Amino acid sequence: MNMSSRITQDVDRACEVLQRGGIVGMPTETVYGLAAIARNEEAVSRVYTVKGRPTSHPLIVHLSPHDDIKRWGHLNESAQLLANAFWPGPLTLLVPRTSLVPDWVTGARDTVALRIPAHDMAIDLLNAVGDAVVAPSANRFGQVSPTCAEHVVNDLGDSVDLVLDGGQCTIGIESTIVECTNSNVQVLRPGKVSALDIAAITGMTISAVDGPSRAPGMLLAHYAPKARVELFTSMDEAEERCNKYELTGVSAVVLHHVDMTRYALSLYDNLRSADLNGNEVVLAVLPPDTGLGVAIRDRLSKAAASN
Ligand code: TXA
Ligand code: MG
């Protein structure tokens, strides 16, 4: 199969591939996922192999709005409020799992990560499949997440059976992961749904995780292009450094947007472009530490930590 025939907009075809035990690039509003039917152990194991991901890093279970969430996880009051407010949407809830959730999805943990994506094609696919689908971001372990179908094919080549093309992701960075396993509510990975949004809905003070995280995969080094990533607090500083690099023959590019939505939307594509263009250094200007800016800073810091 050549590369272009690996990309389709045909949901039924993607559904057939999944039901035969295949793995499919699935669009979501955040980033593209690498989907497999959660209850198919062999298909899930292929997802780990293709990503090159350690099996100790569990997977998010994606559900349709028509699914009965209670079959998969136990949502406490806070989790229920958050689900009502933000699903379908860019929020993953980490909750105690039910006995239906296979060990190969959670790495035998007693929790499961659940999400209902806000993407019509993803929901059509989930409804067609009629079962839950695991979907980690469809990139190789530690690298930049894909935000369009071509990124998935470029990264995974013929190790992915099919990619369902749902256009460009409208958010561009991964979902907020919130742990609701006891009376505390904790943000394990920042995203479009902010700590303030979560506090407003639950009426609780929300703490972000620092130190070693309880979501394996929240490693310090992640989301990394080949280019070295350097962080700056102002555009002036970044441009000054860029000019210095250019003078010494080092190919550098500045990354910045005043608009947070556009910054998030183009972040991974820009990191990929830097590599394609042969830039040795990406000089990224950190956005303010509020709202979506928190998530952008998180991804940029991890990209820089991989240098
Ligand atoms: O936006 C997203 O969340 C995308 C799209 C495709 O939905 N998915 C995504 O999946 O970012 P992934 O696998 O790249 O990141 C999920 C993170 C991982 O760091 C994983 O370790 C953590 O969630 N996670 C999943 N299940 C968990 C569990 N039971 N306990 C702790 N952490 C868990
Ligand atoms: Mg990922």
Side-chain angles (χ1 to χ4, degrees), residues 31-32 51 53 136-146 174 189 217-218 222-223:
V31 299
Y32 272 68
K51 270 189 69 81
R53 176 171 175 150
S137 52
N139 53 284
R140 298 211 191 263
F141 184 62
Q143 294 177 10
V144 180
S145 296
E174 302 81 356
R189 178 176 71 183
M218 305 297 106
H222 217 123
Y223 314 107

Side-chain angles (χ1 to χ4, degrees), residues 246-265:
E246 304 272 291
L247 285 174
T248 55
V250 173
S251 151
V253 64
V254 173
L255 205 60
H256 178 55
H257 268 294
V258 177
D259 179 315
M260 285 313 102
T261 304
R262 288 183 52 201
Y263 206 154
L265 203 58

